[in-house]
Amino acid sequence: MSTNETAAGSASGTATEEFDLFATMALIRAFETRVSELYRDSEIPGFVHTSLGQEAVAAGVGSALADGDYVATTHRGHGHCLARGMDVEAMMAELFARGEGICHGKGGSMHIADPAKGVLGANAIVGASLPLGVGAALSSKLLGQGRVSAAFFGEGAVNQGAFHEAVNLAAIWDLPALLVCENNIYAEFSDSRRMTRVPGVADRAATYGIESETVDGNDVLAVNELALAAAARCREGAGPFLIEAETYRWHGHYEGDAQPYKPEHEATAWRERDPLVVSRTRLLGTGVAAEQLDEIENQASTRVEASIERARQLPPPELEEAYADVYGE
Ligand SMILES: Cc1ncc(C[n+]2csc(CCOP(=O)(O)OP(=O)(O)O)c2C)c(N)n1
Ligand SMILES: [Mg+2]
């Protein structure tokens, strides 16, 4: 599979070579790095939350899903969209609020969606990806489609009522829902460990009678293997499965957050476990040449750069389009 094909998300639901997973992570890294800079320079409007440092979760889970599967994501969802093959140019145009953006410039970073790729949407409401994802899993089951629905959520969402209602329904109806918690330790500016007496998110699964597993969220291969097994289980009708991926967000809650609440030694330790470095080191150990991996990263940057150049040239949406596609129109 070529780098482009990988980044286009041609997931098959079978084991993906780590080389391809690395390429997807490189694309997410290049995209998020530039988005951060463009937001700082006021080229991208609105609010932006990047997933730098969390690339392995998006790539590992995204590559474990098959065509037709659903994804419901969060305010930190660029990586999930890219890992499911959302078009890079259409995504960047959307972030620039251009009429040719994937949502015609009306969604932006936090409401980006692409039903054709099964991406039901990013979401500004913490916890809302769960009922949406579980609802899609219900439709899949009722229609006998065999589609798996992955709902991504942060650990900050698990004390929301929506989490409990959605997980319980998914459990009693044996829905094909892959519940993916990206535990990056922080919810906005607070340490999530101080918000509950239950130390692990995965521990909560037992209270709903479903299975779960905690995984190193900075190890793309480990995430991918677990997600493949969990998705296969969902497809066989065994009901939902909860994955807790332990990871870390490198940047602030939103771009511009100086993160005074994070201890420096903690941030440094997690940066040393950079998911791309973890993967690169393993690939080098299997005999892959460093130049090959450099080339993948260069291709990702070139692709992202081209999407920026294009977005800059595009016009904003026409004024007459303001109410088009709006409910009730
Ligand atoms: C229902 C709701 N409550 C509060 C907020 C404000 N808010 C936005 S993001 C966030 C924290 C989310 O933390 P987490 O779920 O861990 O996701 P992360 O940002 O770490 O990816 C909060 C409280 C919101 N958007 N929606
Ligand atoms: Mg969090």
Side-chain angles (χ1 to χ4, degrees), residues 75-76 124-126 154-157 160 184 186-188 192 249 253:
H75 54 285
R76 206 175 297 288
I125 307 301
V126 171
E155 83 294 343
Q160 286 277 359
N184 61 11
Y186 293 92
E188 279 191 329
S192 303
R249 69 164 151 78
H253 170 60

Side-chain angles (χ1 to χ4, degrees), residues 49-51 54 74-77 80 110 123-128 153-158 160 181-190 192 195 249 252-254:
H49 308 80
T50 59
S51 61
Q54 303 185 188
T74 70
H75 54 285
R76 206 175 297 288
H80 310 143
M110 256 192 291
N123 208 307
I125 307 301
V126 171
F153 56 98
E155 83 294 343
V158 304
Q160 286 277 359
C181 178
E182 292 181 284
N183 189 344
N184 61 11
I185 306 178
Y186 293 92
E188 279 191 329
F189 323 111
S190 305
S192 303
M195 297 175 187
R249 69 164 151 78
H253 170 60
Y254 49 71

Side-chain angles (χ1 to χ4, degrees), residues 178-237:
L178 193 55
L179 310 165
V180 185
C181 178
E182 292 181 284
N183 189 344
N184 61 11
I185 306 178
Y186 293 92
E188 279 191 329
F189 323 111
S190 305
D191 186 326
S192 303
R193 292 167 294 200
R194 292 169 55 202
M195 297 175 187
T196 171
R197 285 192 179 189
V198 183
V201 173
D203 294 339
R204 299 192 180 217
T207 66
Y208 301 99
I210 67 169
E211 292 193 31
S212 67
E213 199 167 319
T214 303
V215 67
D216 178 352
N218 281 21
D219 182 340
V220 73
L221 212 49
V223 174
N224 187 241
E225 278 170 13
L226 177 59
L228 278 168
R233 228 180 135 277
C234 285
R235 243 180 273 283
E236 285 159 11

Side-chain angles (χ1 to χ4, degrees), residues 31 35 43-45 48 78 90-97 108-109 112:
F31 188 90
V35 164
E43 285 202 70
I44 289 180
V48 167
H78 303 161
M91 271 185 78
M92 192 59 84
E94 185 62 32
L95 266 57
F96 270 76
S109 166
I112 199 161

Side-chain angles (χ1 to χ4, degrees), residues 19 21 27 66 89 91 120 126 134 140 159 167 191 196 206 290 296:
F19 198 72
L21 295 168
L27 180 64
E89 291 199 344
M91 271 185 78
L120 303 173
V126 171
V134 166
S140 169
N159 301 315
V167 177
D191 186 326
T196 171
I296 287 177

